[in-house]
Amino acid sequence: MKVLVLGFTKISYMPYMHFYIEQLKKNNCEIHLLYWKRDSNPDTNSPEGVVTHEFNRYQEDSVPIIKKIGSFLGYRKYAIQILKKHRFDLIVVLHSTPGVLLYDVLTKKYNKKYILDYRDFTYENHTIYKKIIHKLVNNSSTTFVSSDAYRKYLPLVENLYTSHNILINALDSREIRKSKGRGVDPIKIRFWGFIRHKNINLTIIEKLSNDKRFELHYHGREQKTGQFLRKYCEEKNFKNIFFHGEYKPDNRYDFIGNTDLIHNLFDNDKTMKPAMSNKYYDGVAFYIPQICHEGSFMGDQVVENKIGIALNPDSPDFADEIYRYYRTLDWSNFETCCDYTLNRIITEYNDGVYKIKEIIKGKKAN
């Protein structure tokens, strides 16, 4: 059975693809991966045993969609060439945007022969885009959502599962933070991922800068926003704010083991309010409390599960609230809550695993 995993960015920026690739490997599928090399920075190696197809075109992420149209159309053309060259039995669409770009091909030629992974709410305010998403969901073999908050925006269908962004093999390193001391100042707050959302990060930086109780560290891609924030901190001579640049996925264990609190705050707008980030799962997996935005779905989750704190960065007491939370945390209870939350995540993760196995079995039977 031949399967195409349809990615929309570099390999290192798609850790969620491993959920699907691992299941496809277990079921002896021939796996092809289409990915988009968007810049000249080093990328992670392709998963072993996977045939890769590289769409190579520079594209800055933090620009308006009008400036991406040319690249999007180029991606569509390249993807169609791959689809024509090979006869795929199943397609895994790793983002709603490539699904929209190829929706006519998917819904006509691959009706009920693709899995849709829905993890973005950027363009749903456009009526046509929303209608296409609904059609993609209705015509898929199954749809996975990266956040349960997205469910209310999608059609009510039976084959809708939650795709938790947890890397199962990361659990082998689960003790890397738990075994180290928790009570030493400064408290190391750390962000990792694509550095964006300028205004909220400026607010956080201003609230924590030159406060001897804290260090604030940023790891990840720096385009316009990241570069601006780095330069701003250098010009202001902030001694406790650090930018470490881009990293490869395996390198994150080095700094995760030296993290006290996860900076998991984003703009609390319509796009980000329902989202769940990869760092949420890192916090649960590695026993690291996290700070999320008050009023966001993720903020509600960390409070409900007692694995972090939800705050408003605009609060005048923001820094004091962080310090008070961390210094009064009951670590035994916190770790128990992480275990309980992880067990529930793994149960839903396994439901998805079973569903993929069921789809593959059905395709092979036909």
Side-chain angles (χ1 to χ4, degrees):
M1 181 174 171
K2 186 184 288 189
V3 183
L4 174 64
V5 179
L6 193 64
F8 201 56
T9 186
K10 293 169 65 174
I11 294 173
S12 57
Y13 302 156
M14 300 187 295
Y16 43 86
M17 74 179 180
H18 294 287
F19 168 69
Y20 300 99
I21 288 176
E22 287 169 12
Q23 313 322 315
L24 295 171
K25 282 185 174 181
K26 289 176 183 177
N27 289 277
N28 299 315
C29 296
E30 178 185 330
I31 308 168
H32 291 239
L33 170 65
L34 192 163
Y35 68 97
W36 183 347
K37 184 171 172 54
R38 297 187 177 210
D39 57 46
S40 59
N41 295 328
D43 197 2
T44 301
N45 293 330
S46 171
E48 187 177 351
V50 174
V51 180
T52 56
H53 307 275
E54 179 188 282
F55 175 61
N56 191 334
R57 180 166 177 167
Y58 177 79
Q59 176 59 61
E60 190 172 348
D61 290 299
S62 54
V63 295
I65 188 173
I66 191 71
K67 294 186 177 181
K68 299 178 182 179
I69 290 176
S71 296
F72 283 8
L73 293 177
Y75 174 92
R76 171 184 161 87
K77 181 179 179 181
Y78 182 75
I80 289 175
Q81 289 174 353
I82 300 300
L83 291 171
K84 286 181 177 178
K85 185 176 180 180
H86 300 271
R87 294 175 61 89
F88 293 108
D89 302 293
L90 180 69
I91 300 175
V92 179
V93 185
L94 284 183
H95 202 285
S96 52
T97 305
V100 170
L101 289 173
L102 294 161
Y103 98 96
D104 55 330
V105 178
L106 292 171
T107 56
K108 292 177 182 177
K109 295 186 178 180
Y110 291 91
N111 183 42
K112 300 299 180 182
K113 294 181 180 180
Y114 66 89
I115 294 170
L116 177 65
D117 185 285
Y118 183 91
R119 55 184 55 252
D120 195 0
F121 193 69
T122 304
Y123 306 119
E124 268 71 359
N125 56 318
H126 300 291
T127 302
I128 294 176
Y129 191 97
K130 183 177 180 180
K131 287 182 178 179
I132 291 173
I133 291 292
H134 280 230
K135 187 172 182 180
L136 285 168
V137 171
N138 287 324
N139 286 274
S140 68
S141 292
T142 196
T143 294
F144 286 87
V145 292
S146 62
S147 169
D148 284 333
Y150 290 144
R151 289 174 178 265
K152 67 180 181 180
Y153 302 110
L154 300 177
L156 293 174
V157 294
E158 289 184 3
N159 288 333
L160 195 61
Y161 292 81
T162 302
S163 174
H164 291 292
N165 297 335
I166 189 164
L167 298 176
I168 297 300
N169 60 2
L171 299 180
D172 295 336
S173 304
R174 199 166 184 224
E175 303 291 318
I176 60 173
R177 182 63 189 90
K178 185 180 179 182
S179 59
K180 297 182 180 180
R182 306 264 197 181
V184 181
D185 280 354
I187 297 170
K188 293 179 176 62
I189 302 172
R190 202 175 302 273
F191 175 94
W192 53 90
F194 180 27
I195 302 171
R196 49 198 179 122
H197 302 280
K198 183 175 88 171
N199 291 336
I200 193 170
N201 277 295
L202 271 176
T203 299
I204 294 167
I205 287 169
E206 288 286 355
K207 293 290 176 68
L208 301 181
S209 61
N210 293 334
D211 187 329
K212 293 181 180 180
R213 296 175 296 176
F214 306 104
E215 286 182 2
L216 178 58
H217 295 259
Y218 287 90
H219 300 256
R221 279 187 288 169
E222 298 176 19
Q223 294 186 354
K224 284 184 179 179
T225 295
Q227 292 163 5
F228 171 86
L229 294 172
R230 178 193 283 265
K231 185 177 180 181
Y232 178 80
C233 292
E234 290 172 352
E235 291 175 348
K236 292 287 187 178
N237 199 30
F238 293 148
K239 300 297 186 181
N240 66 332
I241 315 292
F242 306 92
F243 288 81
H244 302 275
E246 194 163 351
Y247 62 92
K248 288 189 175 182
D250 288 344
N251 298 141
R252 68 198 183 108
Y253 297 114
D254 297 332
F255 53 76
I256 283 175
N258 194 28
T259 299
D260 298 314
L261 278 166
I262 297 175
H263 165 359
N264 205 6
L265 291 142
F266 303 89
D267 288 342
N268 203 28
D269 55 19
K270 186 177 180 180
T271 299
M272 293 305 303
K273 194 169 185 175
M276 293 288 287
S277 78
N278 294 339
K279 291 190 293 298
Y280 174 86
Y281 297 96
D282 289 335
V284 174
F286 301 114
Y287 299 106
I288 307 174
Q290 53 193 290
I291 315 166
C292 296
H293 204 299
E294 186 179 69
S296 68
F297 180 72
M298 194 156 53
D300 293 342
Q301 292 297 298
V302 298
V303 171
E304 179 182 332
N305 293 315
K306 299 178 182 179
I307 56 172
I309 187 171
L311 297 175
N312 183 351
D314 290 323
S315 167
D317 300 321
F318 179 70
D320 291 336
E321 289 177 294
I322 294 174
Y323 192 80
R324 185 164 51 250
Y325 166 76
Y326 191 78
R327 286 291 171 241
T328 60
L329 194 56
D330 182 333
W331 288 105
S332 177
N333 182 63
F334 169 76
E335 290 168 2
T336 298
C337 290
C338 285
D339 290 338
Y340 177 83
T341 303
L342 179 63
N343 288 337
R344 180 180 54 78
I345 288 169
I346 295 299
T347 296
E348 294 183 356
Y349 179 96
N350 288 333
D351 289 342
V353 169
Y354 179 80
K355 180 60 182 178
I356 293 175
K357 183 178 179 180
E358 189 179 65
I359 290 171
I360 292 171
K361 184 177 178 181
K363 299 300 177 189
K364 286 182 175 180
N366 293 332

